[in-house]
Amino acid sequence: MALMLLLPPVNINSQCKSFFRSRCLPQLSPYTFNGEVFAETFFDKDTGIVDFVFYANQQYRVGVCFQNTLPNTYFEVVDKDGVVYFSSKNMVKKDNTFHYWDFKTNTTIPLKIKVYTLGDEKGTSSTGLTPSGCVVILTGFKE
């Protein structure tokens, strides 16, 4: 099952709103939140893609925050040709639910942020249900 995240900015479902405010937004510091947030409920083995434009001579933090019900979640930043600029796959750990990449771009560039929830071998939680949880993609900048 693949979920494509192509949401308008600041479109947060009610389940994810408090999670975004309490757990995700503080993680951008010391970067300034740019006001665009993409949040959705993901299920085990979902994938989402969001397009961003990053402007020349700016420092950015791209962050993906997710609930601990989806522990094997990671993101990649890729260009239009699929070249991977960054992958947080090596950050996947039990208690790490915020992955980020800090970078500076010398040119204006459109990039895609691809989020993957890998799940586990069973594909079910301890209750026997398919795991789900909020996944939030947000960006910040330094002036």
Side-chain angles (χ1 to χ4, degrees):
M1 173 181 200
L3 169 74
M4 299 303 289
L5 261 183
L6 297 173
L7 304 172
V10 194
N11 183 4
I12 304 176
N13 69 38
S14 59
Q15 177 189 352
C16 296
K17 193 175 221 176
S18 65
F19 177 72
F20 159 70
R21 287 185 181 153
S22 65
R23 297 288 308 275
C24 304
L25 193 55
Q27 301 289 337
L28 275 182
S29 182
Y31 290 77
T32 302
F33 176 51
N34 74 351
E36 291 185 281
V37 59
F38 301 85
E40 189 60 61
T41 300
F42 270 56
F43 291 90
D44 201 25
K45 299 180 180 145
D46 274 345
T47 301
I49 302 171
V50 177
D51 294 317
F52 280 94
V53 175
F54 297 96
Y55 296 97
N57 303 314
Q58 292 275 344
Q59 286 185 272
Y60 289 98
R61 173 170 285 177
V62 173
V64 173
C65 184
F66 49 92
Q67 291 180 304
N68 60 7
T69 53
L70 298 169
N72 296 321
T73 298
Y74 74 97
F75 78 97
E76 293 178 336
V77 178
V78 300
D79 67 11
K80 64 180 173 47
D81 297 321
V83 175
V84 177
Y85 283 64
F86 175 80
S87 174
S88 73
K89 196 168 187 178
N90 65 345
M91 294 179 172
V92 173
K93 295 180 181 126
K94 182 179 179 186
D95 297 322
N96 184 6
T97 58
F98 181 76
H99 297 177
Y100 67 91
W101 180 42
D102 295 342
F103 68 100
K104 181 177 181 177
T105 180
N106 295 323
T107 60
T108 298
I109 185 168
L111 295 172
K112 296 178 182 304
I113 299 171
K114 299 172 91 172
V115 178
Y116 305 90
T117 57
L118 299 179
D120 61 19
E121 298 80 38
K122 296 182 221 168
T124 59
S125 68
S126 60
T127 63
L129 301 174
T130 300
S132 67
C134 293
V135 174
V136 177
I137 302 170
L138 62 166
T139 59
F141 62 93
K142 279 188 179 179
E143 295 190 57

